[in-house]
Amino acid sequence: MAEVVNASADNFEVALKDSEQRSQQGSAILLLLFLADHDAALGRSWCPDCVRAEPVINKAIESSSRKGRTVRLLRVYVGDRPTWRSPSHPLRIDRRLQLKGVPTLIRWENGSIIGRLEDYEAHLENKIEELLS
């Protein structure tokens, strides 16, 4: 079964702590997915890589859930393009995350990264499956 929680840079720390606790209680795989915000004028995300990757990631998580794995997805929206492009963006300067681009998919366990897919590979189904196994 998959559980999805949405967060932003502003409430990331609280959402991460809660997700860590819930994942540990239920022995769930915890994934952090960093995405660009939706642009109302476009009717979708301003980031074409996010538009391409998100449905593939969701499909892989659903498939993994059907196989009996419990997955908790913390979906973190990084902001609009100018906000994300700032070198001082809080998620860019977070030493634990070292985010360089979106989308970024991270498998998180015991307070650290145990696997990650960067923006150029986050849409590859086989890579997502490897991250989940």
Side-chain angles (χ1 to χ4, degrees), residues 5 7 31-35 53-54 57-58 61 73-78 102-106 117 122:
V5 174
L31 297 176
L32 313 179
L33 175 58
F34 296 90
L35 296 165
E54 191 172 15
I57 292 167
N58 291 338
I61 290 170
L73 177 66
L74 176 56
R75 196 167 36 208
V76 184
Y77 292 97
V78 301
V102 288
T104 297
L105 182 63
I106 293 174
L117 298 175

Side-chain angles (χ1 to χ4, degrees), residues 2-120:
E3 183 179 340
V4 179
V5 174
N6 293 322
S8 67
D10 294 337
N11 66 354
F12 171 68
E13 289 300 330
V14 171
L16 178 60
K17 277 188 182 180
D18 181 60
S19 293
E20 285 178 311
Q21 289 174 346
R22 290 177 185 264
S23 295
Q24 290 169 352
Q25 291 169 354
S27 300
I29 295 169
L30 177 56
L31 297 176
L32 313 179
L33 175 58
F34 296 90
L35 296 165
D37 282 14
H38 284 86
D39 183 325
L42 296 173
R44 58 177 167 72
S45 173
W46 57 262
C47 167
D49 292 337
C50 295
V51 171
R52 177 175 57 169
E54 191 172 15
V56 179
I57 292 167
N58 291 338
K59 181 182 171 193
I61 290 170
E62 286 177 34
S63 175
S64 186
S65 295
R66 284 194 299 273
K67 294 175 185 172
R69 295 184 199 124
T70 303
V71 179
R72 182 173 181 85
L73 177 66
L74 176 56
R75 196 167 36 208
V76 184
Y77 292 97
V78 301
D80 61 17
R81 186 181 300 235
T83 301
W84 171 244
R85 294 284 184 214
S86 169
S88 62
H89 190 288
L91 297 173
R92 281 186 183 275
I93 61 174
D94 187 312
R95 290 181 184 181
R96 299 166 301 171
L97 302 172
Q98 299 178 9
L99 289 183
K100 296 176 182 81
V102 288
T104 297
L105 182 63
I106 293 174
R107 182 161 175 180
W108 188 266
E109 195 172 294
N110 297 320
S112 62
I113 296 169
I114 63 166
R116 76 186 295 144
L117 298 175
E118 301 290 345
D119 52 351
Y120 61 88

